[in-house]
Amino acid sequence: MDFVIRRAAPGEYDDLGEITAAAYLDDGLLAFDESDWYLGELRDVAKRAAAADVLVAVRDGVLLGGVTFVRSGGGPMTDIAGPEEAEIRMLAVSPAARGQGAGEALVRACVERARATEGCLRVVLSTQRSMRTAHRIYTRLGFVRAPERDWNPLPGRDDITLLAYELTL
């Protein structure tokens, strides 16, 4: 691994927001297009960093990607986590850095943080059906599908159902 995983610095927030938004747009992962409300959430790294841990993968000063880690106990960034669960959100790697292990390293860093959190029993996350590369990472790291936790952030849009995964620590 020739990159470093660490907390995002405020000076990196805009770049990470653009990497995250571009990854979701380019991969067709947003419900609509550039006007999708969630795009603003993906770009607002400062908001995420105020409520959770935002981690980045960096190589030679170049930002490769990032992830949001929500510690157990909840908070405004929680989608599906319960009181004794941490949650992984908004994993994204720039297209130029894909296939180099940055995404997996970011997920591993979240799992390590969860293990170091007293009282945290599980890590959970939501993903779209089309995120097959991410599914392989999660499975390789021991996550299992939790279909009873699947959910839809946009009721009435069955094509947007998010798949849930969990890892018992």
Side-chain angles (χ1 to χ4, degrees):
M1 178 170 76
D2 60 339
F3 46 83
V4 174
I5 305 295
R6 60 167 172 72
R7 284 187 89 138
E12 297 169 320
Y13 291 174
D14 288 344
D15 289 341
L16 180 58
E18 288 309 312
I19 286 171
T20 308
Y24 277 65
L25 279 170
D26 292 349
D27 291 346
L29 302 176
L30 294 175
F32 305 106
D33 54 27
E34 193 59 55
S35 67
D36 191 310
W37 69 271
Y38 194 57
L39 198 56
E41 295 294 308
L42 295 171
R43 285 186 170 129
D44 196 348
V45 178
K47 177 181 174 182
R48 287 190 262 155
D53 296 342
V54 178
L55 306 178
V56 292
V58 179
R59 176 190 298 128
D60 298 326
V62 176
L63 196 59
L64 306 177
V67 67
T68 300
F69 173 73
V70 184
R71 293 184 181 276
S72 61
M77 289 300 300
T78 300
D79 275 336
I80 65 170
E84 297 175 327
E85 298 175 325
E87 188 164 348
I88 296 174
R89 307 247 350 251
M90 301 175 187
L91 174 65
V93 175
S94 70
R98 291 185 180 174
Q100 299 173 30
E104 183 169 333
L106 287 162
V107 174
R108 283 183 187 277
C110 290
V111 171
E112 289 169 14
R113 283 176 180 260
R115 285 196 169 112
T117 302
E118 186 174 339
C120 186
L121 305 177
R122 191 173 299 108
V123 181
V124 297
L125 60 91
S126 301
T127 182
Q128 293 187 24
R129 290 183 196 285
S130 60
M131 295 177 163
R132 288 181 177 77
T133 300
H135 301 173
R136 286 190 294 275
I137 291 171
Y138 305 141
T139 302
R140 188 167 45 251
L141 296 179
F143 284 81
V144 295
R145 277 279 291 120
E148 70 281 2
R149 296 177 89 157
D150 291 355
W151 65 289
N152 189 323
L154 299 172
R157 290 286 311 266
D158 293 335
D159 59 321
I160 311 291
T161 297
L162 299 178
L163 308 180
Y165 281 76
E166 59 187 30
L167 172 69
T168 300
L169 302 174

